[in-house]
């Protein structure tokens, strides 16, 4: 809220540059206000940094009846319109001030640059008819300028750009140090990320309305402050593609104490309705709000209050209007969100700008495979998609010398079949990786490769290459296992086991072992007709087995 104080000098009548000290005096007095309305409207920039005026930020000096003077912020939203807070032009909810009581400067980097000669003449003040001073509902006012301002107006944003977490920024010339009532001569900016409305509903019960207000800030040491009321809550204010999301309204009396602040919403609700009915406006209607990546959509502009409009478009978000002309354009949609803007200029030179963010909707592809697949059979990769787009998915299975690949079009294709070769040689179960890749329109749910276990369809083979008596009481056996596992040797006569020995083997390297015999077992073997039986059991799952036998010599 502007400062409601008595001062000896009315700034607009001085004819000399405004001094930062004079502004500081005004703001200091505003901080001392004790009325409920003043307490509720205690909004200001604290903990920010200087920035060059992007051209549309406005400084307002308002003379109130009785000699009081106030300082507010604003923003040029059309060539002949500045937007500010209703409480700036209706002190304490009373009568609207006369237009000639308002001095407006647009595009100043410093408050000290303001002179009477440079002030824009305001010839009409329009307050949102729904404004309620007690609750700050509808706290918006539009100031009509007698002459078109040469600066480029700030584009109005869209309702989709005020989502929780949006990195918004507040601009203003207000108080920067609450303890010493210090102001900055330079225009200030401070980050005010948009918060969930529940945060402000709890902090300002009974006044916060999420349909018409935005909750933002809440960072200790960073806040809007006295003198900033009506100023912009903007997205990317230093960018040519800046968007207006809201205007400074009210917050904690102790600027920067970590409490959130409240801003009037201009992208939706009552605020958007007021602007559409009052200002020359332009809107953008995309052919779809959820385009797939790598597609092309159509956007159409429509105006209100602009006579004989001509259109210029910014299609790549760089803030340069001139990428296309006309009321309808084709917009290529890439892999990421893009800010699209349009400027409409009437035959009388008045006009407005609008900007929306178009975010491509990815078609997400997820895939599953069975935990095991048998050699000679196909690996079935089952696909699931979500989203509006289409594309091609490729799968490639590799590992242990195996390779197979396949492609499928989605969303029509629901699976991929990969046939792994059969080399007719038994192998232990092998882990196979299946890597997926999608065309640019698609997003894979996971970048990690899929894995499955490849189970051999061949029978493992165990061989005994040697079986003989090495000593009178030992049998030497050499076996060649099919893989890692356990080999068990049995010296047998008929169906009777005379001796047994088991050992671990790794890989397929031939392995020698000795089976020890007792004296009685040795005598039995000496009588002839003894054989060596070998069995192998894999250490992997699923378990494989093999057997072999050889006559003992």
């Amino acid at each position: 809220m502007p400062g409601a104080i008595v001062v000896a000098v009315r700034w607009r009548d001085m004819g000399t540059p405004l001094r930062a000290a004079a502004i500081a005096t005004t703001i200091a007095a505003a901080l001392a206000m004790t009325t409920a309305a003043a307490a509720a409207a205690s909004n200001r920039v604290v903990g920010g940094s200087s920035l060059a005026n992007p051209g549309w930020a406005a400084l307002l000096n308002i003379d109130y009846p009785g000699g009081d003077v106030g300082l507010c912020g604003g923003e040029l939203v059309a060539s002949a319109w500045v937007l500010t807070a209703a409480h700036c032009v209706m002190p304490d909810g009373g009568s609207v001030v006369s237009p000639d009581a308002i001095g407006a400067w647009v595009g100043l980097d410093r408050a000290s640059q303001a002179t009477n000669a440079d002030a824009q003449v305001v010839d009409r003040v329009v307050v949102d008819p729904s404004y309620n001073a007690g609750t700050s509902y509808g706290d918006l006012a539009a100031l009509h300028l007698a002459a078109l301002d040469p600066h480029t107006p700030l584009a109005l944003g869209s309702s989709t750009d005020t989502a929780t977490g949006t990195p918004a920024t507040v601009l203003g010339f207000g108080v920067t140090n609450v303890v010493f009532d210090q102001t900055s001569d330079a225009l200030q900016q401070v980050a005010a990320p948009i918060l969930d409305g529940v945060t402000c509903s709890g902090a300002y019960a009974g006044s916060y309305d999420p349909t018409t207000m935005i909750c933002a800030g809440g960072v200790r040491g960073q806040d809007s402050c006295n003198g900033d009321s009506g100023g912009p809550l903007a997205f990317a204010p230093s960018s040519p593609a800046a968007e207006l999301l809201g205007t400074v309204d009210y917050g904690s009396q102790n600027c920067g104490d970590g409490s959130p602040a409240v801003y009037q919403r201009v992208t939706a609700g009552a605020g958007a309705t007021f602007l559409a009915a009052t200002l020359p406006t332009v809107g953008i209607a995309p052919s779809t709000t959820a385009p797939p990546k790598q597609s092309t959509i159509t956007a159409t502009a429509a105006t209100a209050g602009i006579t004989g409009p001509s259109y210029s478009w910014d299609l790549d978000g760089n803030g340069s209007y001139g990428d296309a002309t006309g009321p309808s354009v084709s917009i290529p949609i890439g892999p990421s969100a893009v800010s699209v803007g349009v400027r409409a200029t009437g035959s009388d030179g008045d006009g407005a700008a609008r900007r929306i963010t178009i975010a491509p909707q990815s078609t997400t592809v997820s895939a599953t495979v069975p935990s095991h697949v048998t050699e000679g059979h196909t690996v079935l990769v089952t696909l699931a998609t979500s989203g509006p787009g289409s594309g091609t998915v490729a799968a490639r299975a590799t590992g242990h010398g195996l390779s197979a690949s396949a492609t499928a079009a989605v969303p029509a294709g629901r699976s991929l079949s990969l046939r792994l070769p059969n080399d007719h040689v038994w192998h232990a179960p092998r882990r196979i990786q299946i890597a997926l890749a999608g065309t640019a329109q698609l997003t894979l749910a996971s970048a990690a490769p899929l894995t499955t276990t490849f189970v051999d369809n061949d029978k493992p083979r165990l061989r005994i290459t040697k079986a003989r008596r090495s000593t009178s009481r030992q049998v030497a056996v050499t076996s060649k296992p099919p893989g890692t596992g356990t080999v068990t040797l049995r010296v047998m006569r008929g169906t009777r086991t005379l001796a047994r020995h088991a050992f671990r083997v790794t890989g397929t390297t031939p392995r020698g072992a000795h089976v020890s015999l007792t004296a009685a077992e040795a005598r039995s073997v000496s009588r002839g007709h003894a054989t060596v039986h070998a069995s192998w059991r894999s250490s992997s799952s699923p378990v494989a087995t093999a057997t072999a036998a050889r006559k003992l010599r």
Side-chain angles (χ1 to χ4, degrees):
M1 187 173 185
I5 61 175
V6 176
V7 292
V9 179
R10 301 197 178 200
W11 294 348
R12 288 194 303 113
D13 296 335
M14 291 177 63
T16 56
L18 292 178
R19 295 177 295 109
I23 296 176
T25 301
T26 302
I27 301 304
L31 282 170
M33 291 189 298
T34 58
T35 66
S42 168
N43 260 10
R44 42 271 178 190
V45 168
V46 171
S49 59
S50 300
L51 83 159
N53 196 314
W56 40 258
L59 172 66
L60 303 179
N61 166 217
I62 305 168
D63 297 340
Y64 299 114
D68 298 349
V69 179
L71 175 72
C72 276
E75 45 283 332
L76 186 73
V77 291
S79 297
W81 290 90
V82 169
L83 187 65
T84 188
H87 70 251
C88 288
V89 298
M90 291 182 68
D92 298 318
S95 300
V96 179
V97 298
S98 171
D100 62 9
I102 303 172
W105 292 265
V106 179
L108 297 183
D109 292 329
R110 295 183 175 276
S112 57
Q113 297 170 343
T115 66
N116 190 52
D118 295 330
Q120 279 278 17
V121 175
V122 176
D123 61 12
R124 184 152 48 106
V125 179
V126 183
V127 174
D128 186 338
S130 68
Y131 173 52
N132 182 320
T135 63
S136 284
Y137 185 93
D139 194 1
L140 293 171
L143 312 179
H144 185 263
L145 306 179
L148 298 178
D149 192 277
H151 295 94
T152 299
L154 173 58
L156 297 178
S158 65
S159 58
T160 58
D161 298 330
T162 57
T164 300
T166 298
T169 303
V170 186
L171 276 63
F173 289 95
V175 165
T176 58
N177 187 305
V178 180
V179 176
F180 298 103
D181 297 337
Q182 292 177 345
T183 61
S184 172
D185 181 39
L187 178 64
Q188 297 287 294
Q189 64 176 345
V190 68
I194 294 180
L195 306 175
D196 190 307
V198 174
T199 305
C200 282
S201 294
Y204 308 109
S207 64
Y208 180 78
D209 179 359
T211 66
T212 63
M213 301 174 185
I214 298 173
C215 186
V219 178
R220 181 171 293 277
Q222 297 182 355
D223 201 358
S224 46
C225 205
N226 277 348
D228 297 324
S229 289
L233 175 71
F235 176 73
S238 298
S239 164
E243 302 176 32
L244 179 64
L245 307 179
T247 59
V248 178
D249 197 347
Y250 66 90
S252 169
Q253 294 185 60
N254 300 313
C255 312
D257 65 359
S259 300
V262 177
Y263 302 81
Q264 282 292 314
R265 188 184 297 271
V266 301
T267 59
T273 301
F274 167 67
L275 297 183
T278 307
L279 307 179
T281 58
V282 60
I284 302 175
S287 55
T288 175
T289 57
K293 293 191 295 184
Q294 308 301 326
S295 63
T296 299
I297 67 170
T298 300
T300 303
T303 61
I306 301 178
T307 303
S310 61
Y311 303 92
S312 58
W313 293 80
D314 170 23
L315 302 182
D316 54 14
N318 67 357
S320 176
Y321 293 88
D323 296 334
T325 59
S328 295
V329 294
S330 296
I331 302 174
I333 303 301
S336 56
V338 62
S339 175
V340 174
V342 64
R343 289 186 63 187
T345 304
S347 55
D348 59 355
D350 199 359
R354 174 75 68 173
R355 188 166 288 277
I356 64 172
T357 299
I358 300 176
Q361 301 299 303
S362 297
T363 297
T364 302
V365 179
S366 58
T368 57
V369 295
S371 59
H372 295 77
V373 62
T374 304
E375 183 184 41
H377 293 74
T378 59
V379 180
L380 188 66
V381 182
T382 302
L383 303 175
T385 61
S386 63
S390 60
T392 301
V393 175
R396 182 175 180 82
T398 57
H400 302 281
L402 300 174
S403 179
S405 60
T407 60
V410 295
R414 295 301 181 184
S415 64
L416 288 165
S417 295
L418 300 171
R419 181 174 290 278
L420 298 175
N422 187 342
D423 59 4
H424 303 291
V425 176
W426 185 89
H427 300 277
R430 291 161 284 179
R431 299 289 285 177
I432 303 299
Q433 288 194 334
I434 302 173
L436 297 179
T439 50
Q441 302 92 329
L442 306 177
T443 299
L444 299 179
S446 174
L450 304 170
T451 59
T452 186
T453 300
F454 189 50
V455 180
D456 206 297
N457 199 35
D458 298 298
K459 295 291 185 181
R461 183 183 179 189
L462 174 64
R463 295 175 57 199
I464 300 176
T465 59
K466 181 174 71 175
R468 62 182 179 81
R469 297 277 295 272
S470 58
T471 65
S472 61
R473 295 180 59 177
Q474 277 194 334
V475 175
V477 181
T478 300
S479 61
K480 188 176 187 307
T484 300
T486 302
V487 173
T488 300
L489 302 176
R490 290 181 176 83
V491 179
M492 303 184 69
R493 186 175 183 186
T495 59
R496 179 187 172 196
T497 298
L498 302 177
R500 178 181 179 278
H501 176 61
F503 54 93
R504 292 271 303 164
V505 293
T506 302
T508 58
T509 303
R511 172 77 180 271
H514 291 83
V515 182
S516 299
L517 306 172
T518 64
E521 291 168 347
R523 287 193 296 273
S524 180
V525 169
S526 299
R527 288 194 287 271
H529 305 293
T531 57
V532 174
H533 290 258
S535 62
W536 170 84
R537 180 183 176 89
S538 70
S539 58
S540 58
S541 178
V543 174
T545 59
T547 61
R550 187 182 180 101
K551 186 175 180 180
L552 180 62
R553 296 183 179 182

